[in-house]
Amino acid sequence: EAQVTQNPRYLITVTGKKLTVTCSQNMNHEYMSWYRQDPGLGLRQIYYSMNVEVTDKGDVPEGYKVSRKEKRNFPLILESPSPNQTSLYFCASRSHREEVVNAFFGQGTRLTVV
Amino acid sequence: AQSVTQPDIHITVSEGASLELRCNYSYGATPYLFWYVQSPGQGLQLLLKYFSGDTLVQGIKGFEAEFKRSQSSFNLRKPSVHWSDAAEYFCAVGGAGAQKLVFGQGTRLTINP
């Protein structure tokens, strides 16, 4: 089954404690991205990757890092989480072979930073 | 600038009633439009999409949407809602080769029995 898998689904952490949210896709997609969802703001892109070792900032990259060492994985790293990063996070992937950005989304990771 | 506006933050309809969720967009190139649904505790599911051709698009779960270029709109409709349609709905716009989807703020739909 084609899917994008995020882990964990739920996470509560303390300010300043480094964390990683993993994202994996099994569709051999070149393009992956991370979004955060906040009430009244919809989804906003954090980072994206066009392929292995190619990443770039989205609209709200501050406080986040990403890496793309393998095609299937695109982890989101919070080196020093702060309460304003409490949010619902979505990973998405799509193929370059598609003409447009028809993205597949993961189930989401709800992060709370206290 | 690229943007999507969903004017209604929250809509309540009775089960069996018709539904229309509004979406207006601003996009510098040819827009490709999407509606996603997010059920409580779930991820985003694609309801339907418009790329080109017929401006009335059919999707899953009995939803349809109409692209109106002159009004920069892509409203979502359903003739008769079911209690299971209660969810949050997001309109999004992208383009060929675009690096991201631009999402609206979302509309939360509540169904009265």
Side-chain angles (χ1 to χ4, degrees):
Chain A
E1 179 188 355
Q3 59 185 0
V4 177
T5 304
Q6 296 177 225
N7 279 296
R9 293 288 309 279
Y10 301 92
L11 179 60
I12 300 175
T13 190
V14 297
T15 299
K17 184 177 181 182
K18 180 179 178 180
L19 66 91
T20 299
V21 183
T22 64
C23 174
S24 180
Q25 50 93 5
N26 63 1
M27 295 167 279
N28 201 36
H29 283 170
E30 295 84 2
Y31 178 88
M32 298 184 75
S33 62
W34 277 101
Y35 292 83
R36 61 177 288 174
Q37 180 187 348
D38 301 291
L41 297 177
L43 280 78
R44 295 175 292 168
Q45 191 183 56
I46 303 170
Y47 267 95
Y48 65 93
S49 169
M50 299 295 288
N51 214 322
V52 175
E53 302 292 1
V54 181
T55 63
D56 209 346
K57 297 177 180 179
D59 294 324
V60 288
E62 294 77 20
Y64 304 95
K65 286 175 57 177
V66 292
S67 69
R68 187 88 183 274
K69 294 184 171 57
E70 305 168 280
K71 196 172 187 179
R72 64 182 291 125
N73 297 322
F74 189 46
L76 180 69
I77 303 157
L78 285 72
E79 294 270 3
S80 182
S82 62
N84 65 11
Q85 293 178 296
T86 293
S87 187
L88 178 59
Y89 292 86
F90 286 101
C91 180
S93 77
R94 70 172 176 89
S95 169
H96 279 178
R97 291 189 295 276
E98 296 179 47
E99 183 182 6
V100 295
V101 290
N102 186 17
F104 291 80
F105 284 84
Q107 291 292 91
T109 296
R110 186 165 293 281
L111 171 66
T112 302
V113 183
V114 298
Chain B
Q2 305 164 6
S3 66
V4 175
T5 301
Q6 294 178 243
D8 305 304
I9 296 174
H10 185 203
I11 285 182
T12 300
V13 299
S14 298
E15 189 167 16
S18 64
L19 171 71
E20 183 170 28
L21 302 183
R22 296 182 290 164
C23 172
N24 293 98
Y25 68 90
S26 173
Y27 199 72
T30 301
Y32 298 114
L33 294 150
F34 307 84
W35 274 99
Y36 287 88
V37 60
Q38 183 182 23
S39 298
Q42 300 298 312
L44 290 164
Q45 181 180 23
L46 181 67
L47 279 177
L48 48 79
K49 58 190 177 187
Y50 171 77
F51 293 165
S52 65
D54 192 344
T55 56
L56 185 63
V57 182
Q58 303 298 319
I60 62 171
K61 304 185 180 186
F63 285 92
E64 66 178 25
E66 186 172 13
F67 172 60
K68 293 185 177 180
R69 186 184 298 275
S70 61
Q71 298 177 20
S72 297
S73 70
F74 188 56
N75 294 348
L76 182 72
R77 300 194 294 249
K78 187 170 184 178
S80 175
V81 297
H82 185 262
W83 64 265
S84 61
D85 293 325
E88 188 152 21
Y89 292 80
F90 291 95
C91 180
V93 66
Q99 304 311 323
K100 67 179 180 184
L101 289 171
V102 178
F103 284 83
Q105 301 91 324
T107 298
R108 185 160 62 91
L109 175 64
T110 298
I111 308 294
N112 281 339

